[in-house]
Amino acid sequence: MLPNVPPVCYLIVSALIFAIGAVGVLIRRDAIVIFMCIEMMLSAVNLSLITASHYLDSLDGVLMVFFVMTVAAAEAAVGLAIFVLLYRGRGTIKVDEINLLKW
Amino acid sequence: MGSLFHWIVFILTALTAIFAAVMVITRRNPIHSALFLVLNFLCIAVLYLLLNSQFIAIIQVMIYAGAIMMLVIFVIMLLSVEEERRTYKVRLSPAKVIGLVVALILFAELVYGIALRVLPGVKGEFTPEKIAQMGDIKAVASLLFTRFLFPFEVASILLLVGIIGAVILSKKER
């Protein structure tokens, strides 16, 4: 009989997806793709919270994930509105060309 | 519940999730990235099911893979980002190399932190048997409306602010 899947496996999958998301944020130049990578990182963090919650017999992690998802939904609404606004004003959403706040 | 079944499903979904994540950051067409991100979210929902969190698995599919990705794809279509991709050249600039190295260091640190001590902490009261007896959603709700009532209300205000912000931002100035 095999042992159960240890929590460290889930945590490493979560860490790997988080790191891949971080690579995406750093190397991509498209604001929408960067936004999607951030969503992927949030979801990877959720996976580690659920893992902890399951293996520690607690529901606090589940509730935390619930709130993270709420914040992600609000972030998506406002972030995508900002992209539409940027595109309307500047005709592009490539982050290299959006440099008004750069000194 | 068969342990072998758990292992097979875990390995398959974990590999698919990682593959989808890599495809998200390497595809040039944002639509392809978005569709692979949906695949990644669905795989993570399956992992949630393996972790006995049915409620979170359902809202992962509904909110992330459904609502948020629908918004993202809608905006990609709206902005016609597609046309920009022809001018987009993939070249390994120094900034990208530095970014890759930094992310590798981040991953090494995360793995070190995970392997150092796996899940220290006190055990809670919600054992799988108790959750199975109560029902997952009922157990979550019993905490949500008692101990987490204040964050719940704050979350509702946050969503309201998000709606108002989105409307104000996308309104045309006159």
Side-chain angles (χ1 to χ4, degrees):
Chain A
M1 200 60 189
L2 282 161
N4 280 327
V5 184
V8 67
C9 293
Y10 288 100
L11 292 177
I12 284 180
V13 171
S14 158
L16 196 54
I17 295 178
F18 188 87
I20 293 171
V23 173
V25 169
L26 290 172
I27 68 172
R28 292 302 296 260
R29 286 286 152 263
D30 218 330
I32 290 224
V33 179
I34 290 178
F35 175 82
M36 287 195 281
C37 289
I38 293 172
E39 294 290 335
M40 193 160 76
M41 288 165 79
L42 280 174
S43 158
V45 171
N46 284 350
L47 179 60
S48 70
L49 283 171
I50 294 278
T51 307
S53 153
H54 176 66
Y55 284 96
L56 291 177
D57 292 341
S58 160
L59 279 181
D60 293 2
V62 175
L63 271 300
M64 190 78 86
V65 170
F66 184 80
F67 293 122
V68 170
M69 281 187 178
T70 316
V71 173
E75 177 214 333
V78 176
L80 292 172
I82 290 176
F83 293 155
V84 173
L85 198 67
L86 269 175
Y87 191 77
R88 207 188 278 155
R90 304 182 66 93
T92 178
I93 52 164
K94 287 173 89 180
V95 288
D96 281 342
E97 290 157 35
I98 302 165
N99 49 11
L100 265 181
L101 285 181
K102 232 185 204 172
W103 55 280
Chain B
M1 188 60 92
S3 205
L4 180 66
F5 175 72
H6 269 208
W7 273 100
I8 293 171
V9 175
F10 171 75
I11 290 171
L12 283 180
T13 42
L15 287 180
T16 316
I18 291 164
F19 165 76
V22 171
M23 295 306 259
V24 168
I25 66 166
T26 50
R27 293 303 93 188
R28 284 199 211 169
N29 189 337
I31 290 281
H32 295 171
S33 292
L35 292 178
F36 275 112
L37 190 56
V38 172
L39 177 63
N40 184 20
F41 285 159
L42 292 179
C43 288
I44 289 182
V46 173
L47 291 180
Y48 290 160
L49 282 181
L50 285 185
L51 289 169
N52 202 17
S53 304
Q54 296 88 359
F55 174 61
I56 293 295
I58 300 268
I59 64 171
Q60 166 93 6
V61 173
M62 278 171 59
I63 294 182
Y64 265 120
I68 293 182
M69 291 319 292
M70 187 274 290
L71 262 182
V72 168
I73 292 178
F74 191 77
V75 169
I76 292 174
M77 301 284 191
L78 199 66
L79 300 191
S80 65
V81 185
E82 183 105 29
E83 287 172 19
E84 290 181 23
R85 116 190 122 93
R86 292 192 200 110
T87 56
Y88 178 82
K89 292 188 217 69
V90 175
R91 53 184 193 282
L92 224 53
S93 62
K96 283 184 185 174
V97 176
I98 294 172
L100 268 175
V101 172
V102 169
L104 263 180
I105 294 172
L106 172 74
F107 178 62
E109 279 176 352
L110 285 173
V111 169
Y112 178 70
I114 289 166
L116 200 61
R117 270 182 81 192
V118 178
L119 292 185
V122 281
K123 289 239 173 186
E125 50 179 331
F126 286 94
T127 55
E129 293 78 32
K130 193 178 171 191
I131 293 177
Q133 189 207 341
M134 266 179 94
D136 185 46
I137 295 180
K138 201 172 175 187
V140 171
S142 72
L143 274 181
L144 188 62
F145 294 116
T146 52
R147 245 173 67 204
F148 290 86
L149 185 62
F150 181 66
F152 179 73
E153 300 291 350
V154 173
S156 69
I157 294 176
L158 178 76
L159 281 175
L160 181 68
V161 172
I163 296 169
I164 296 173
V167 169
I168 289 179
L169 278 175
S170 50
K171 203 176 66 175
K172 273 216 166 84
E173 287 175 31
R174 13 189 120 93

